[in-house]
Amino acid sequence: MTSNSPISQYVSRFKAEKGKILSFLSAFPFYGEVLKNHQYYEADRITRNELSKKLDSLKEPIRRIEENFVRERRMDLISSTEVLLSIIERLKNEIIGASYGLNGLGTGFKATESELEALAEWDYSLIHHSEELLTKVKAPNFPPDVSVEIVRNWVSSFRSELDEFDSALKSRKDVFLKR
Protein backbone atom coordinates (compact mmCIF):
# COMPACT_ATOMS: atom_id res chain seq x y z
CA MET A 1 0.00 0.00 0.00
CA THR A 2 1.55 3.31 -1.05
CA SER A 3 1.68 6.07 1.50
CA ASN A 4 -0.22 8.54 -0.69
CA SER A 5 -3.07 6.24 -1.72
CA PRO A 6 -6.54 7.18 -0.48
CA ILE A 7 -6.89 3.99 1.57
CA SER A 8 -3.61 4.65 3.39
CA GLN A 9 -4.79 8.18 4.16
CA TYR A 10 -8.04 6.89 5.67
CA VAL A 11 -6.28 4.10 7.55
CA SER A 12 -3.87 6.71 8.94
CA ARG A 13 -6.83 8.83 10.03
CA PHE A 14 -8.32 5.82 11.78
CA LYS A 15 -5.02 5.06 13.53
CA ALA A 16 -4.73 8.69 14.64
CA GLU A 17 -8.27 8.56 16.06
CA LYS A 18 -7.57 5.34 18.02
CA GLY A 19 -4.23 6.47 19.41
CA LYS A 20 -1.79 4.63 21.65
CA ILE A 21 -3.96 1.65 22.63
CA LEU A 22 -4.27 0.60 19.00
CA SER A 23 -0.51 0.91 18.53
CA PHE A 24 0.12 -1.20 21.61
CA LEU A 25 -2.35 -3.96 20.64
CA SER A 26 -1.15 -4.10 17.03
CA ALA A 27 2.31 -5.09 18.32
CA PHE A 28 0.90 -8.51 19.31
CA PRO A 29 0.65 -10.96 16.36
CA PHE A 30 -2.97 -12.07 16.92
CA TYR A 31 -4.34 -8.61 17.65
CA GLY A 32 -2.26 -7.09 14.87
CA GLU A 33 -3.94 -9.28 12.23
CA VAL A 34 -7.41 -8.62 13.64
CA LEU A 35 -6.79 -4.88 13.83
CA LYS A 36 -5.35 -4.84 10.32
CA ASN A 37 -8.68 -6.02 8.90
CA HIS A 38 -10.62 -3.84 11.31
CA GLN A 39 -8.82 -0.71 10.17
CA TYR A 40 -10.10 -1.23 6.62
CA TYR A 41 -13.67 -1.41 7.92
CA GLU A 42 -13.09 1.73 9.95
CA ALA A 43 -11.52 3.47 6.95
CA ASP A 44 -14.61 2.47 4.96
CA ARG A 45 -16.83 3.97 7.67
CA ILE A 46 -14.86 7.22 7.65
CA THR A 47 -15.06 7.35 3.84
CA ARG A 48 -18.82 6.79 3.84
CA ASN A 49 -19.34 9.51 6.46
CA GLU A 50 -17.27 11.96 4.45
CA LEU A 51 -19.06 11.12 1.22
CA SER A 52 -22.43 11.46 2.93
CA LYS A 53 -21.51 14.90 4.29
CA LYS A 54 -20.36 16.06 0.87
CA LEU A 55 -23.67 15.00 -0.67
CA ASP A 56 -25.56 16.66 2.16
CA SER A 57 -23.73 19.92 1.39
CA LEU A 58 -25.40 19.93 -2.05
CA LYS A 59 -28.80 20.56 -0.47
CA GLU A 60 -28.20 24.08 0.81
CA PRO A 61 -27.32 25.69 -2.56
CA ILE A 62 -30.37 24.02 -4.10
CA ARG A 63 -32.56 25.35 -1.29
CA ARG A 64 -31.18 28.85 -1.89
CA ILE A 65 -32.11 28.59 -5.58
CA GLU A 66 -35.64 27.60 -4.54
CA GLU A 67 -35.79 30.46 -1.99
CA ASN A 68 -34.95 32.91 -4.76
CA PHE A 69 -37.86 31.62 -6.82
CA VAL A 70 -40.17 32.11 -3.83
CA ARG A 71 -38.74 35.57 -3.10
CA GLU A 72 -39.26 36.61 -6.72
CA ARG A 73 -42.78 35.12 -6.65
CA ARG A 74 -42.03 32.94 -9.65
CA MET A 75 -44.93 30.52 -9.24
CA ASP A 76 -43.97 28.72 -12.43
CA LEU A 77 -40.54 27.82 -10.96
CA ILE A 78 -41.43 27.00 -7.35
CA SER A 79 -40.75 23.31 -6.58
CA SER A 80 -38.71 22.84 -9.74
CA THR A 81 -35.65 21.76 -7.71
CA GLU A 82 -37.54 19.48 -5.33
CA VAL A 83 -36.68 16.37 -7.37
CA LEU A 84 -32.97 17.12 -6.92
CA LEU A 85 -33.33 17.25 -3.15
CA SER A 86 -35.10 13.92 -3.04
CA ILE A 87 -32.45 12.25 -5.23
CA ILE A 88 -29.65 13.63 -3.05
CA GLU A 89 -31.39 12.37 0.09
CA ARG A 90 -31.82 8.90 -1.44
CA LEU A 91 -28.16 8.76 -2.47
CA LYS A 92 -27.08 9.87 0.98
CA ASN A 93 -29.19 7.16 2.62
CA GLU A 94 -27.71 4.51 0.31
CA ILE A 95 -24.20 5.53 1.29
CA ILE A 96 -24.93 5.57 5.01
CA GLY A 97 -26.89 2.31 4.83
CA ALA A 98 -25.42 -1.14 4.97
CA SER A 99 -25.90 -1.73 1.26
CA TYR A 100 -22.96 0.53 0.42
CA GLY A 101 -20.20 -0.23 2.92
CA LEU A 102 -17.97 -3.26 3.14
CA ASN A 103 -20.65 -4.99 5.20
CA GLY A 104 -23.10 -4.50 2.35
CA LEU A 105 -20.88 -6.53 0.07
CA GLY A 106 -21.62 -9.67 2.03
CA THR A 107 -20.12 -11.14 5.13
CA GLY A 108 -19.09 -14.31 3.29
CA PHE A 109 -16.37 -12.49 1.34
CA LYS A 110 -12.82 -12.30 2.63
CA ALA A 111 -11.47 -9.25 0.89
CA THR A 112 -7.81 -9.05 0.03
CA GLU A 113 -5.78 -5.94 0.65
CA SER A 114 -5.67 -5.16 -3.09
CA GLU A 115 -9.47 -5.46 -3.33
CA LEU A 116 -9.88 -3.15 -0.36
CA GLU A 117 -7.48 -0.68 -1.95
CA ALA A 118 -9.45 -0.82 -5.21
CA LEU A 119 -12.65 -0.07 -3.28
CA ALA A 120 -10.97 2.84 -1.52
CA GLU A 121 -9.80 4.23 -4.86
CA TRP A 122 -13.38 3.95 -6.13
CA ASP A 123 -14.69 5.74 -3.05
CA TYR A 124 -12.06 8.43 -3.46
CA SER A 125 -13.23 9.01 -7.04
CA LEU A 126 -16.79 9.34 -5.71
CA ILE A 127 -15.65 11.95 -3.19
CA HIS A 128 -13.96 13.83 -6.01
CA HIS A 129 -17.16 13.56 -8.10
CA SER A 130 -19.22 14.94 -5.19
CA GLU A 131 -16.87 17.94 -5.01
CA GLU A 132 -17.45 18.55 -8.73
CA LEU A 133 -21.21 18.37 -8.13
CA LEU A 134 -20.90 21.00 -5.39
CA THR A 135 -19.09 23.32 -7.81
CA LYS A 136 -21.82 22.82 -10.41
CA VAL A 137 -24.68 23.40 -7.99
CA LYS A 138 -23.14 26.68 -6.82
CA ALA A 139 -22.56 27.92 -10.38
CA PRO A 140 -26.05 29.00 -11.51
CA ASN A 141 -27.03 32.49 -10.54
CA PHE A 142 -30.44 32.77 -12.09
CA PRO A 143 -31.60 36.35 -12.74
CA PRO A 144 -35.09 37.31 -11.53
CA ASP A 145 -36.49 37.12 -15.06
CA VAL A 146 -35.00 33.72 -15.92
CA SER A 147 -37.08 31.64 -18.28
CA VAL A 148 -38.72 28.41 -17.18
CA GLU A 149 -36.93 26.62 -20.01
CA ILE A 150 -33.46 27.59 -18.72
CA VAL A 151 -34.27 26.41 -15.19
CA ARG A 152 -35.73 23.14 -16.43
CA ASN A 153 -32.67 22.53 -18.58
CA TRP A 154 -30.37 23.18 -15.63
CA VAL A 155 -32.41 20.89 -13.35
CA SER A 156 -32.39 18.20 -16.04
CA SER A 157 -28.63 18.54 -16.51
CA PHE A 158 -27.95 18.38 -12.78
CA ARG A 159 -30.26 15.41 -12.42
CA SER A 160 -28.23 13.64 -15.12
CA GLU A 161 -25.10 14.33 -13.05
CA LEU A 162 -26.78 12.82 -10.00
CA ASP A 163 -27.84 9.80 -12.06
CA GLU A 164 -24.19 9.32 -13.11
CA PHE A 165 -23.21 9.44 -9.45
CA ASP A 166 -25.90 6.86 -8.66
CA SER A 167 -24.57 4.57 -11.40
CA ALA A 168 -21.08 4.88 -9.95
CA LEU A 169 -22.42 3.90 -6.52
CA LYS A 170 -24.06 0.83 -8.00
CA SER A 171 -20.93 -0.06 -10.00
CA ARG A 172 -18.82 -0.09 -6.83
CA LYS A 173 -19.80 -3.67 -6.09
CA ASP A 174 -18.51 -4.67 -9.52
CA VAL A 175 -15.01 -3.59 -8.46
CA PHE A 176 -15.16 -6.02 -5.57
CA LEU A 177 -16.91 -8.82 -7.46
CA LYS A 178 -14.53 -8.48 -10.44
CA ARG A 179 -17.27 -8.07 -13.04
Side-chain angles (χ1 to χ4, degrees), residues 42-107:
E42 286 299 312
D44 179 65
R45 181 191 58 79
I46 291 169
T47 305
R48 285 187 289 129
N49 286 342
E50 187 170 323
L51 189 54
S52 171
K53 287 177 186 173
K54 291 206 181 275
L55 281 180
D56 201 40
S57 69
L58 296 173
K59 290 181 183 177
E60 191 57 35
I62 292 173
R63 286 186 185 122
R64 275 192 240 116
I65 290 170
E66 190 69 30
E67 286 173 5
N68 286 337
F69 296 153
V70 171
R71 187 177 312 115
E72 298 296 327
R73 295 185 177 100
R74 293 293 308 266
M75 299 307 274
D76 50 348
L77 295 175
I78 293 175
S79 298
S80 58
T81 60
E82 196 170 302
V83 68
L84 299 177
L85 292 173
S86 65
I87 291 171
I88 290 169
E89 189 63 29
R90 182 183 54 80
L91 291 172
K92 192 179 111 180
N93 289 337
E94 282 181 27
I95 290 168
I96 292 173
S99 67
Y100 181 75
L102 288 176
N103 292 335
L105 294 172
T107 55

Side-chain angles (χ1 to χ4, degrees), residues 10 13 46-61 88 92 95 123-135 137-138 158 162 165:
Y10 285 109
R13 278 177 55 184
I46 291 169
T47 305
R48 285 187 289 129
N49 286 342
E50 187 170 323
L51 189 54
S52 171
K53 287 177 186 173
K54 291 206 181 275
L55 281 180
D56 201 40
S57 69
L58 296 173
K59 290 181 183 177
E60 191 57 35
I88 290 169
K92 192 179 111 180
I95 290 168
D123 291 341
Y124 183 76
S125 71
L126 290 174
I127 289 173
H128 182 67
H129 191 175
S130 68
E131 290 168 351
E132 291 173 354
L133 288 173
L134 184 60
T135 302
V137 79
K138 288 182 176 180
F158 197 75
L162 291 174
F165 191 88

Side-chain angles (χ1 to χ4, degrees), residues 17-41:
E17 287 178 8
K18 294 299 179 189
K20 295 179 182 179
I21 294 174
L22 177 72
S23 300
F24 175 74
L25 287 176
S26 61
F28 297 103
F30 173 73
Y31 289 114
E33 189 61 32
V34 170
L35 290 174
K36 179 181 174 190
N37 292 335
H38 182 69
Q39 68 191 11
Y40 283 110
Y41 286 96

